[in-house]
Amino acid sequence: MRRAVLLYNPASGRRRSPWAVPAIRSALTADDWRVDLLPTEGPGTAPNQLRRAVAAGSPDAVFVYGGDGTLREAAQGLLGTGIPFAPLPGGTTNVICHSLGLPRDPVAAAELLSRSRSREIAVGRLDDRIFLMQLSAGLDAAVLAAVDGEAKARWGRTAVLAAALSLFWRYPFLPIEARWDEGRASGGFVAVANIPHYAGPFRLARISPEERTLELVVHRDSGRWTTLLFALDLLRGRLSRRQDLLRVPVTRVTIEAPEGTPFQIDGDPCSVETPVTVRVGDELLPALLPPSRWRASPSTSTVSNLTPG
């Protein structure tokens, strides 16, 4: 019998854990897993909790039920242990699970991953912190910093949208600069992505988490109305037509921004002093994943071009 740890955030996804966790555990038990439950103790606690759990007896896999922030913290704790990470959707947007091709239902995702093989995915690094989705600077980070945690837990994306509408008219849209080996660019929004999706099902980048690189995305305009049009094209899946959008693969990029510019990492506000250097991590993260949904497409472009498989 295989042994699993099921780490879960009791506060994620509008408090769905009381019904979801027992159902996930039952599904794994039925598939010949012995499951130990491990609730998180608060923000930032998951890495140390997992390290202690691993030291007490290495499991065959760690299933993680929670939002994108919880998944990132769990990956941070598991990196370097060799123990596979198995993400389950339990948050408001579940961007990581969406990009990995997992079902929206956490029980169905657990059943799928319990029979999946381990593959390796890349992670991004900001000093001693990792990210699975992206690091970004601009209005989106300001919105995430403004959203009340209780309101987000209760109202989900509606709370985020309300904060965005309020901040849009007050945010200064100052230019942010990105520098990498091949050049530099500036604009009102800069992101370094490890997965293609952003804020849910919306495709911002063309990177796959199984690539050993990251993708720099820069909206090369800092105007209020062009930012609104950029956001609308993101929602409608029309970013490829924009002439003011840069998307380029990078392994290391330095970001410099005016003092007070907000940053976010995997959906959580983060405190940084610029310039900051973001890079692809040296270590790969073993993860239980469904059959790959990505295939490389023939391209003569220097930008990674991936299409759904």
Side-chain angles (χ1 to χ4, degrees):
M1 178 176 286
R2 297 167 293 175
R3 176 173 171 255
V5 169
L6 174 55
L7 178 83
Y8 66 96
N9 183 354
S12 285
R14 306 192 195 182
R15 310 295 197 272
R16 289 192 292 264
S17 293
W19 67 262
V21 170
I24 294 168
R25 187 181 195 180
S26 295
L28 293 175
T29 300
D31 208 17
D32 204 31
W33 290 84
R34 180 170 64 85
V35 182
D36 297 326
L37 298 182
L38 183 63
T40 60
E41 297 168 353
T45 63
N48 286 334
Q49 285 184 263
L50 279 179
R51 292 183 189 112
R52 291 194 297 267
V54 168
S58 295
D60 295 295
V62 172
F63 290 80
V64 185
Y65 172 72
D68 293 312
T70 300
L71 298 185
R72 175 182 56 80
E73 288 186 13
Q76 181 99 44
L78 288 173
L79 194 65
T81 67
I83 296 171
F85 162 76
L88 304 175
T92 303
T93 52
N94 303 308
V95 184
I96 295 170
C97 291
H98 182 85
S99 264
L100 295 176
L102 293 172
R104 295 176 62 182
D105 175 58
V107 177
E111 291 172 343
L112 176 61
L113 293 187
S114 73
R115 299 185 292 272
S116 296
R117 66 182 180 89
S118 178
R119 301 207 301 272
E120 292 181 322
I121 60 176
V123 300
R125 272 205 174 272
L126 169 67
D127 49 58
D128 62 345
R129 291 168 284 187
I130 71 166
F131 59 91
L132 301 178
M133 293 163 36
Q134 70 274 134
L135 173 140
S136 69
L139 175 63
D140 65 330
V143 169
L144 291 170
V147 176
D148 176 77
E150 186 62 33
K152 185 179 179 183
R154 183 174 183 181
W155 301 108
R157 296 181 186 180
T158 303
V160 178
L161 177 61
L165 292 174
S166 173
L167 277 173
F168 177 76
W169 304 104
R170 295 182 283 118
Y171 186 74
F173 293 99
L174 298 174
I176 304 161
E177 183 179 74
R179 301 189 297 271
W180 66 104
D181 287 344
E182 291 78 16
R184 63 176 59 200
S186 65
F189 170 78
V190 171
V192 185
N194 191 46
I195 60 175
H197 295 92
Y198 172 89
F202 310 112
R203 291 181 62 91
L204 175 69
R206 294 178 286 191
I207 193 77
S208 160
E210 292 187 87
E211 291 189 75
R212 307 302 188 248
T213 187
L214 303 171
E215 186 171 323
L216 172 66
V217 180
V218 182
H219 177 221
R220 292 182 290 193
D221 197 307
S222 54
R224 191 178 309 277
W225 295 110
T226 54
T227 297
L228 177 60
L229 294 174
F230 168 76
L232 290 174
D233 281 341
L234 171 67
L235 298 179
R236 294 181 295 184
R238 297 180 180 177
L239 286 185
S240 60
R241 71 178 190 175
R242 297 198 65 89
Q243 299 300 309
D244 59 358
L245 181 66
L246 171 75
R247 294 191 284 195
V248 61
V250 294
T251 56
R252 179 183 296 265
V253 60
T254 297
I255 300 172
E256 189 160 7
E259 183 177 355
T261 297
F263 281 73
Q264 66 87 18
I265 185 169
D266 283 1
D268 291 328
C270 67
S271 176
V272 302
E273 292 185 8
T274 67
V276 297
T277 297
V278 182
R279 62 181 177 86
V280 65
D282 297 324
E283 294 180 285
L284 298 174
L285 178 69
L288 297 181
L289 299 177
S292 179
R293 66 183 297 187
W294 307 104
R295 66 172 183 267
S297 296
S299 174
T300 57
S301 170
T302 58
V303 178
S304 172
N305 183 16
L306 296 171
T307 57

